[in-house]
Amino acid sequence: METLWDKNIQRPEFKSLQTDIKTDVLIIGGGIAGILTAYFLQEKGVPYVLVEKERICSGTTGGTTAKLTFQHGLIYSRLLREKGAEKAGLYLRANRMAFEKYAALCRDIDCDFQFRDNYVYSRSDRRKLEAEMDALSRIGLKARFTENVPLPFEIAGAVCFPEQAQFHPLKFLYSIAKDLNIYEHTFVREMIGTTAVTDHGKIHADKVIVTTHFPFINKHGSYFVKLYQHRSYVLALANAQEVGGMYVDECRKGLSFRNYGDLLLLGGGAHRTGKNGGGWNELREFAALHYPGAEERYFWAAQDCMSIDGVPYIGRYSENSPEMYTASGFNKWGMTGAMLSAMLLSDMVCGVRNDHAELFSPSRNFLKPQLLVNGFEAAKNLLTPSEKRCPHLGCALKWNPAEHSWDCACHGSRFSESGEVLDNPANGDLKK
Ligand code: FES
């Protein structure tokens, strides 16, 4: 499955680790969060090493639709309701800062960066959008309400954030990564304190930052309780529609739209990993109905970690592991989430105070209704008899006929037909 972003692009190559080494900061995971963290540490002159088990950007980072925005669905009314105006305002400032950092970096990088208005629309619930407008005015952000968007269906309305942006994620990241201290094909099999054990050498580090999409160390942080995963699907269509901006349904199972060149990127079909969902079929049916002359050029899927309360986990891995840090649970807003993580974590490992640390702390109170849903799914799948069991914590695996994979609904691990691990938190293949 080749994404649009992989096409005609020169990927930088890095050697694999072949000996024992020492460093101040070890970053595990070569997706966007890890690469940007390495970039900021290099800027600060901090000795670091980044290791990636395959090639950099080979996971979810390569499957993004690459929207750069601090409009994350209808997050601000939710934050106002659940955490109060101060934290809603902090979330906005943190993500706006991340957005502005992209805009600044992209000035010098050829990565198809374009300012575009971003819209969150609802097909049926105008009241939710009005509540979001109200929340935004209370935290001092001017947004625009509209009923007119160039989408091929009726909407109840849309909240627009002007001057957000889109870009080519791999052109950006390969340019950023090329001078960083990276080892590819270097799989961390085990952590002993802050020492990472790989197949051909140990890495002794003072501090460790885990940016492996789903934090892979089970014994700290209870991430298997407070994270779950979603899959979503994208088609890149020629001869479809120029939509002029970026559009996301406020409903998690809705559709998203943006253009890249003369292609329309149509996203949607989302579902909890390991459960049934619309997938590419839903998108193909929509395209056949609304864009009958369109031609499908690429299709791909992405996997996202979802937090319990809609706010990412960025900071100390757990209260019991003071020299370990992580970033996860970006809730499908991985571009700003990754930049924010990199800024925050590179400050934290250097002992610099950051005003956003408390809001994003992975050790915050996470007693939320989603916890019950996650607990129910885990219990149900642990008790379900099945031919294949997940090596992470033993849940039943379900065959995914669209992607020819074995998927786990407990925490979202996935395996190929022949048993190789595709998505963590499982840290190894299926037993033969
Ligand atoms: Fe945790 Fe499968 S991912 S049991």
Side-chain angles (χ1 to χ4, degrees):
M1 196 167 35
E2 185 186 54
T3 77
L4 158 66
W5 314 123
D6 292 316
K7 189 77 183 164
N8 298 331
I9 187 162
Q10 192 68 32
R11 189 190 279 258
E13 299 211 5
F14 302 91
K15 58 189 183 303
S16 63
L17 185 72
Q18 296 295 335
T19 183
D20 290 359
I21 56 171
K22 276 188 178 170
T23 184
D24 285 17
V25 181
L26 166 64
I27 302 164
I28 305 174
I32 185 167
I35 291 171
L36 289 172
T37 305
Y39 177 79
F40 288 130
L41 289 179
Q42 182 148 307
E43 261 196 348
K44 290 174 195 275
V46 177
Y48 71 91
V49 165
L50 185 158
V51 293
E52 160 58 41
K53 75 177 164 113
E54 293 170 13
R55 308 285 308 273
I56 60 165
C57 304
S58 54
T60 285
T61 297
T64 176
T65 52
K67 303 183 190 86
L68 302 173
T69 176
F70 42 92
Q71 186 182 25
H72 297 169
L74 303 181
I75 185 72
Y76 295 102
S77 45
R78 178 176 179 186
L79 289 176
L80 199 67
R81 200 170 57 240
E82 296 181 4
K83 295 182 188 279
E86 191 188 333
K87 287 189 172 163
L90 261 183
Y91 184 96
L92 169 63
R93 284 194 291 284
N95 282 285
R96 178 151 54 188
M97 213 184 287
F99 171 82
E100 285 166 356
K101 192 71 190 176
Y102 275 112
L105 286 172
C106 290
R107 262 183 234 130
D108 299 322
I109 297 175
D110 177 13
C111 60
D112 307 326
F113 179 93
Q114 295 168 308
F115 285 106
R116 288 282 183 273
D117 292 351
N118 193 67
Y119 297 80
V120 174
Y121 66 87
S122 173
R123 295 181 77 160
S124 58
D125 196 337
R126 188 181 172 109
R127 275 180 313 172
K128 275 190 188 168
L129 302 173
E130 287 168 351
E132 184 73 0
M133 289 297 290
D134 185 47
L136 292 167
S137 81
R138 285 179 60 189
I139 59 173
L141 188 119
K142 271 199 181 143
R144 185 164 64 82
F145 187 86
T146 180
E147 290 168 349
N148 297 314
V149 294
L151 298 180
F153 45 72
E154 292 289 312
I155 60 164
V159 177
C160 172
F161 279 26
E163 295 229 334
Q164 308 294 290
Q166 57 189 25
F167 72 159
H168 188 306
L170 297 190
K171 284 187 183 176
F172 170 77
L173 280 168
Y174 291 168
S175 172
I176 290 272
K178 64 183 188 311
D179 299 320
L180 300 179
N181 191 20
I182 293 175
Y183 292 95
E184 290 184 317
H185 303 293
T186 300
F187 183 34
V188 174
R189 299 219 168 261
E190 192 190 350
M191 292 299 299
I192 303 171
T194 52
T195 295
V197 181
T198 76
D199 288 338
H200 301 289
K202 289 185 180 151
I203 307 164
H204 303 280
D206 296 333
K207 297 183 178 175
V208 177
I209 298 177
V210 176
T211 51
T212 53
H213 183 66
F214 196 117
F216 76 104
I217 302 165
N218 280 327
K219 69 180 176 199
H220 301 297
S222 305
Y223 289 94
F224 55 87
V225 179
K226 60 192 187 190
L227 278 176
Y228 61 107
Q229 300 204 63
H230 256 212
R231 280 195 86 62
S232 49
Y233 301 81
V234 186
L235 301 182
L237 302 168
N239 308 319
Q241 186 185 7
E242 168 61 53
V243 289
M246 306 180 291
Y247 304 82
V248 180
D249 194 327
E250 59 84 18
C251 166
R252 255 192 201 158
K253 295 200 167 173
L255 299 172
S256 74
F257 303 78
R258 70 159 274 199
N259 292 103
Y260 177 74
D262 58 358
L263 298 175
L264 174 69
L265 308 192
L266 174 65
H271 58 86
R272 183 175 176 132
T273 303
K275 310 284 276 185
N276 296 330
W280 291 301
N281 279 349
E282 181 184 321
L283 299 178
R284 286 178 180 134
E285 281 167 20
F286 180 90
L289 186 65
H290 295 285
Y291 308 122
E295 186 191 321
E296 185 177 314
R297 291 281 171 80
Y298 303 91
F299 68 98
W300 69 91
Q303 173 118 324
D304 288 282
C305 284
M306 316 294 282
S307 72
I308 292 273
D309 59 359
V311 175
Y313 303 124
I314 308 167
R316 284 195 198 286
Y317 202 98
S318 75
E319 282 174 346
N320 303 326
S321 48
E323 305 305 343
M324 300 188 73
Y325 303 79
T326 195
S328 187
F330 297 149
N331 303 298
K332 307 196 177 185
W333 300 105
M335 298 294 101
T336 40
M339 181 64 83
L340 173 58
S341 304
M343 295 163 89
L344 185 45
L345 294 176
S346 59
D347 275 354
M348 288 183 87
V349 295
C350 294
V352 176
R353 196 189 125 67
N354 187 304
D355 291 343
H356 307 124
E358 191 194 331
L359 174 62
F360 295 99
S361 168
S363 301
R364 65 184 179 265
N365 178 352
F366 60 89
L367 292 175
K368 300 284 173 201
Q370 181 65 42
L371 206 56
L372 290 177
V373 179
N374 292 356
F376 174 76
E377 275 303 330
K380 191 175 85 178
N381 287 290
L382 272 170
L383 296 174
T384 302
S386 77
E387 180 195 341
K388 309 234 181 225
R389 310 299 299 184
C390 179
H392 178 229
L393 296 177
C395 287
L397 294 177
K398 194 166 169 187
W399 177 242
N400 172 346
E403 300 187 73
H404 291 261
S405 59
W406 290 99
D407 298 357
C408 181
C410 282
H411 317 109
S413 293
R414 296 178 60 249
F415 305 87
S416 70
E417 194 163 3
S418 51
E420 288 95 33
V421 66
L422 300 172
D423 285 293
N424 70 347
N427 210 17
D429 299 340
L430 293 183
K431 289 205 177 85
K432 300 277 179 206

